[in-house]
């Protein structure tokens, strides 16, 4: 019999777990895997955002959350309502928080991107390490009729003065 907490959890339609070495090349592998899986799972409209979020959280794990010879984990879970991305690393003493990066800073914008793209995000402290998670709603807002009928600036200027496309 399910406990009240278990029955409150949405039923996973798909789940994937990917353990990664703490190297920057693992970020690329995790991003590509996430994009492919969301497409295979029937949600190509979420694949780009999912890949971006996996990339940002994985890069943070490699740069700030990993210790030598310890893997980090990327988990994707698709339910009827959301895709959940969780990146777990072994360094629980350094909990992430968004910060304002200076204009010339090369790093420091990852969680700001996560906060803007994801519908929800947070951090779970674990016995060993932490899990940084975010979710994208499966039902995305559709553009209004006005947004569809008005092309964006890049579409308007996509041809040069000579009339040829870039």
């Amino acid at each position: 019999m399910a406990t009240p907490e278990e029955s409150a959890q949405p039923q996973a339609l798909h789940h994937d777990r990917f353990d990664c070495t703490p190297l920057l090349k693992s970020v690329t592998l995790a991003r590509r895997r996430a994009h492919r899986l969301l497409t295979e799972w029937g949600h190509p409209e979420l694949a780009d955002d999912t890949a971006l979020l996996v990339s940002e959280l994985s890069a943070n794990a490699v740069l700030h959350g990993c210790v030598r010879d310890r893997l980090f984990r990327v988990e994707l879970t698709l339910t009827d309502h959301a895709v959940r991305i969780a990146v777990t690393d072994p360094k629980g003493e350094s909990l992430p928080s968004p910060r304002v990066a200076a204009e010339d800073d090369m790093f420091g914008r990852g969680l700001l991107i996560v906060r803007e793209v994801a519908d929800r995000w947070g951090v779970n402290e674990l016995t060993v390490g932490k899990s940084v998670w975010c979710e994208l709603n499966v039902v995305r807002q559709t553009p209004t009729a006005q947004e569809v009928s008005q092309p964006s600036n890049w579409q308007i200027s996509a041809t040069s003065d000579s009339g040829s496309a870039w």
Side-chain angles (χ1 to χ4, degrees):
M1 179 175 228
T3 66
E5 289 138 8
E6 290 172 334
S7 60
Q9 295 292 323
Q11 181 66 32
L13 302 174
H14 295 281
H15 180 80
D16 181 70
R17 185 177 90 186
F18 184 48
D19 292 328
C20 305
T21 56
L23 301 171
L24 287 176
K25 70 180 182 179
S26 296
V27 175
T28 302
L29 295 172
R31 180 180 61 241
R32 289 179 182 162
R33 182 183 181 107
H35 193 281
R36 178 181 51 80
L37 286 171
L38 263 289
T39 302
E40 289 175 3
W41 292 349
H43 289 283
E45 75 282 3
L46 296 174
D48 289 342
D49 285 348
T50 300
L52 173 63
L53 293 167
V54 165
S55 183
E56 293 300 333
L57 295 180
S58 296
N60 281 351
V62 170
L63 295 173
H64 307 293
C66 285
V67 293
R68 186 179 171 104
D69 298 327
R70 295 290 306 271
L71 302 175
F72 71 96
R73 175 173 292 159
V74 178
E75 290 186 81
L76 297 174
T77 305
L78 177 67
T79 68
D80 284 332
H81 304 289
V83 59
R84 182 180 181 96
I85 301 147
V87 176
T88 305
D89 66 58
K91 207 168 184 182
E93 65 274 9
S94 63
L95 298 178
S97 62
R99 68 178 186 91
V100 177
E103 221 175 274
D104 58 343
D105 284 348
M106 291 183 63
F107 302 101
R109 295 170 186 84
L111 286 178
L112 297 174
I113 293 169
V114 170
R115 186 172 66 186
E116 289 301 312
V117 175
D119 293 302
R120 289 165 297 288
W121 79 278
V123 180
N124 294 334
E125 294 181 71
L126 306 172
T127 303
V128 175
K130 66 183 171 296
S131 180
V132 184
W133 60 269
C134 61
E135 292 181 342
L136 291 168
N137 292 336
V138 169
V139 179
R140 305 297 278 180
Q141 292 181 336
T142 55
T144 65
Q146 183 179 4
E147 290 171 335
V148 171
S149 66
Q150 290 183 341
S152 65
N153 289 338
W154 72 268
Q155 290 172 321
I156 292 170
S157 61
T159 58
S160 67
D161 291 336
S162 65
S164 63
W166 303 357

